[in-house]
Amino acid sequence: LKHMKKKIRLISLLMAAVLLFTACGPAGGRAKQGLTDGIYEAEVESSASMFRVVHCELVVEDGKMTAVMAMSGEGYGYVYPGTAAEAEAADESEYIPFERDSEGRKTFAFPIEKLDTEYECAAYSIKKDTWYDRTLVFRLSSDGSEIGLTLKKRMKLDLATQFSVDYYEGGYKYIKLGDGSRFLVVPEGMEKPEGLDSSISVLQQPIENIYIAATSSMSLFDALGSLSSVSLSGTKEDGWYIENAKQAMHDGSIIYAGKYSEPDYELLLSKECPLAVESMMIGHAPDVREKLEELGMVVLVDQSSNESHPLAKTEWIKLYAALLNKEDEAERLFDEQMKYLSEVEKLEKTGKTAAFFYISSAGNAVVRNSDDYISKMIELAGGRYIFDDLEEGSGSATVTIEMEEFFSHAKDADYVFYNGAITGEVNSIEELVQKNPLLKEFKAVQNGNVWCTTRNLYQETTQLGEMIKSLRTVFTGEADNLTELPYLYRLMPAD
């Protein structure tokens, strides 16, 4: 497939109908749920963050349903209604090629028979020349009927796909996350609607005394000027690199309430904590989540790590703003980071290669997966991540490799970035080389093109656009005479 010519540029309505009939069998994808012919807005839940659908229309015609999915990027050339193994064995004529919509996005017309049902979908990665297994679930977008309210508008999202916010008459806000969890934000002085589904968690404004166990979320509350809404932390004072959070804990306005896996339940209850903001690590402690909910607290799992675009993580500031009625401020802050990105995106690639890593206690190199957001920031900044061929969809942001393999791949990289946010900041070239003598042979080390990340890299998700700009400055050579950039500093020889 790597050298396959694109035989089909446009797909006719007749061919689309044939594909639908073939994929769905004799029933032909019948609309069995009472939908009349027309076009409906739909939502797509994907098992892989790399398969990111930014818009979906459900087309119902003659009782047959087709989900037309608009993709976030250019990475996929075909999809197939089945598994990756079945796609590899299938004839090319059975593949579903892409079309372009009015905004120039790639779209795939995927046949379905039922909503709210899991479908196997194989997606062909052009870059990797490989089919990948994906699982998709299609749902109609909410019109408010499920919560008994009248929909007014939906929050505009530029990049994020793992949450949505709908606004209803009366000031109510309905939030849905990528894992299917749902929340209704009830404005101050109002009551929750009668007959509300018990699976929808209710948050009554004003929302105060929040417990934050997801470290990346704290910077978003801080940027909104809303640390006063946070009273409890899952990180101790010395673990914060966000100055305002550290100061708040020093002053006692935010107190330590135990880490995510061992929260102080009595303290949370004494503070009348209504909301626990957890990272996806809570999935490893299901009993803790169950206990928090049993005690009457709402658990919101920050799923920004599932976002495929770096700045989509930053866009989660809009979700927290919805809780705090600070949407305008969130829009302004996010637009600032998007400006950094737009400045960089219109520039040419530099061709410079980069390795991003740290050395583990076992002496191995730990690098970023090729589909990780750090790797994508390097690419967006005009560089080329040296490990861009690591297996996609491994489920982890990092990959551990032996030092000899790391050396063979990265020794000729133009730049190396040491991940000081994990193991601690390194102070000199000599200190870096002490971690493994092979590093002395690296081209970047010999040329002095070695940078280290600051400790606040993972906690400051509000500034990822600025981080991309810093990387761009390195790749263009503008930083050759600099020793420090936002979130980066150059490693120099010891005095």
Side-chain angles (χ1 to χ4, degrees):
L1 285 174
K2 192 177 221 176
H3 306 291
M4 183 187 296
K5 294 181 179 180
K6 293 182 178 178
K7 299 178 180 178
I8 303 175
R9 288 292 183 184
L10 297 174
I11 180 172
S12 66
L13 291 174
L14 178 60
M15 180 59 74
V18 172
L19 285 171
L20 293 179
F21 186 84
T22 303
C24 298
R30 291 285 171 185
K32 298 178 180 179
Q33 290 159 306
L35 296 178
T36 59
D37 284 6
I39 299 176
Y40 302 82
E41 186 173 341
E43 297 172 357
V44 183
E45 180 182 324
S46 171
S47 62
S49 61
M50 287 299 295
F51 193 90
R52 190 161 69 94
V53 179
V54 295
H55 182 71
C56 182
E57 290 184 342
L58 184 68
V59 180
V60 181
E61 186 174 5
D62 294 331
K64 299 177 183 179
M65 293 195 293
T66 311
V68 181
M69 303 179 291
M71 309 305 296
S72 63
E74 297 289 310
Y76 295 106
Y78 299 93
V79 297
Y80 177 83
T83 66
E86 289 169 343
E88 290 175 353
D91 186 86
E92 179 190 346
S93 63
E94 298 178 73
Y95 302 157
I96 301 175
F98 67 86
E99 288 186 311
R100 297 283 182 181
D101 65 10
S102 59
E103 297 182 31
R105 300 174 297 196
K106 280 186 174 180
T107 65
F108 294 98
F110 193 83
I112 65 173
E113 290 187 323
K114 295 180 180 179
L115 297 168
D116 306 310
T117 302
E118 289 189 352
Y119 284 89
E120 292 178 332
C121 173
Y124 171 66
S125 169
I126 298 171
K127 182 178 180 180
K128 303 294 180 65
D129 187 20
T130 303
W131 286 95
Y132 289 98
D133 283 312
R134 307 298 188 219
T135 302
L136 307 178
V137 178
F138 301 90
R139 298 186 175 92
L140 286 181
S141 295
S142 169
D143 61 359
S145 58
E146 60 186 300
I147 55 175
L149 298 170
T150 302
L151 177 66
K152 292 179 63 179
K153 65 176 182 178
R154 167 162 290 186
M155 176 183 282
K156 174 183 171 292
L157 295 175
D158 293 280
L159 299 169
T161 63
Q162 298 302 304
F163 75 91
S164 66
V165 181
D166 291 337
Y167 295 85
Y168 295 87
E169 287 186 358
Y172 294 87
K173 302 171 189 178
Y174 184 45
I175 296 170
K176 287 192 283 188
L177 303 186
D179 64 356
S181 55
R182 299 172 294 167
F183 308 83
L184 183 68
V185 181
V186 178
E188 186 174 5
M190 302 291 282
E191 296 184 357
K192 73 175 184 178
E194 293 184 5
L196 188 69
D197 192 309
S198 60
S199 65
I200 301 175
S201 300
V202 176
L203 288 165
Q204 181 78 52
Q205 292 179 326
I207 305 171
E208 300 171 336
N209 297 322
I210 298 170
Y211 167 56
I212 292 187
T215 55
S216 63
S217 301
M218 186 70 85
S219 68
L220 304 180
F221 280 85
D222 181 31
L224 291 168
S226 297
L227 287 188
S228 59
S229 298
V230 180
S231 298
L232 304 146
S233 168
T235 300
K236 294 181 179 179
E237 179 183 341
D238 60 5
W240 284 114
Y241 302 101
I242 300 168
E243 287 304 317
N244 287 339
K246 182 185 286 287
Q247 187 62 46
M249 295 199 73
H250 181 76
D251 296 341
S253 57
I254 298 179
I255 56 178
Y256 180 62
K259 62 182 181 178
Y260 80 95
S261 58
E262 298 178 356
D264 186 331
Y265 298 113
E266 290 187 7
L267 178 58
L268 293 173
L269 284 173
S270 70
K271 288 290 185 178
E272 298 182 349
C273 170
L275 172 64
V277 179
E278 300 278 356
S279 74
M280 294 185 69
M281 293 294 291
I282 194 67
H284 299 293
D287 55 326
V288 172
R289 177 171 185 167
E290 183 178 343
K291 182 66 175 179
L292 290 170
E293 293 174 335
E294 180 185 316
L295 294 173
M297 284 166 261
V298 172
V299 176
L300 188 155
V301 181
D302 186 301
Q303 292 154 53
S304 58
S305 60
N306 278 345
E307 300 285 3
S308 61
H309 194 289
L311 260 64
K313 295 168 66 67
T314 304
E315 198 165 17
W316 272 68
I317 194 170
K318 295 181 181 179
L319 181 145
Y320 298 117
L323 302 179
L324 305 166
N325 296 332
K326 292 194 173 183
E327 285 92 337
D328 290 345
E329 179 65 6
E331 190 74 32
R332 183 188 67 78
L333 292 165
F334 180 69
D335 284 348
E336 287 180 358
Q337 297 306 306
M338 285 294 286
K339 286 178 182 177
Y340 286 121
L341 178 62
S342 62
E343 289 173 9
V344 170
E345 280 187 320
K346 60 188 177 185
L347 302 175
E348 293 183 2
K349 298 290 186 181
T350 66
K352 300 298 184 180
T353 55
F356 189 100
F357 72 103
Y358 70 88
I359 304 298
S360 70
S361 57
N364 295 317
V366 182
V367 302
R368 309 300 292 194
N369 200 321
S370 55
D371 63 356
D372 174 66
Y373 82 101
I374 295 286
S375 310
K376 289 184 179 298
M377 285 201 294
I378 290 172
E379 299 285 342
L380 287 168
R384 183 174 71 81
Y385 182 53
I386 203 73
F387 291 98
D388 62 356
D389 58 348
L390 288 176
E391 182 180 359
E392 181 183 296
S394 67
S396 174
T398 60
V399 179
T400 301
I401 57 179
E402 293 184 355
M403 203 58 201
E404 289 74 13
E405 181 183 354
F406 176 71
F407 177 78
S408 67
H409 276 77
K411 63 184 177 64
D412 293 323
D414 296 305
Y415 296 92
V416 295
F417 297 90
Y418 189 77
N419 191 356
I422 297 294
T423 63
E425 297 178 5
V426 177
N427 298 310
S428 67
I429 291 286
E430 288 80 3
E431 187 177 334
L432 177 66
V433 171
Q434 285 177 5
K435 293 182 177 293
N436 193 293
L438 284 175
L439 293 169
K440 189 175 183 179
E441 306 299 321
F442 278 51
K443 169 185 169 181
V445 173
Q446 295 175 354
N447 292 341
N449 291 326
V450 184
W451 294 80
C452 185
T453 65
T454 54
R455 292 297 297 269
N456 61 340
L457 174 63
Y458 296 121
Q459 293 185 5
E460 291 280 2
T461 54
T462 55
Q463 305 295 319
L464 294 181
E466 189 172 5
M467 175 66 174
I468 292 171
K469 187 174 182 179
S470 291
L471 290 168
R472 175 74 186 186
T473 304
V474 172
F475 295 144
T476 59
E478 297 173 69
D480 285 354
N481 297 319
L482 301 177
T483 58
E484 189 172 350
L485 291 166
Y487 308 104
L488 295 171
Y489 62 93
R490 187 191 295 274
L491 292 186
M492 306 293 288
D495 294 332

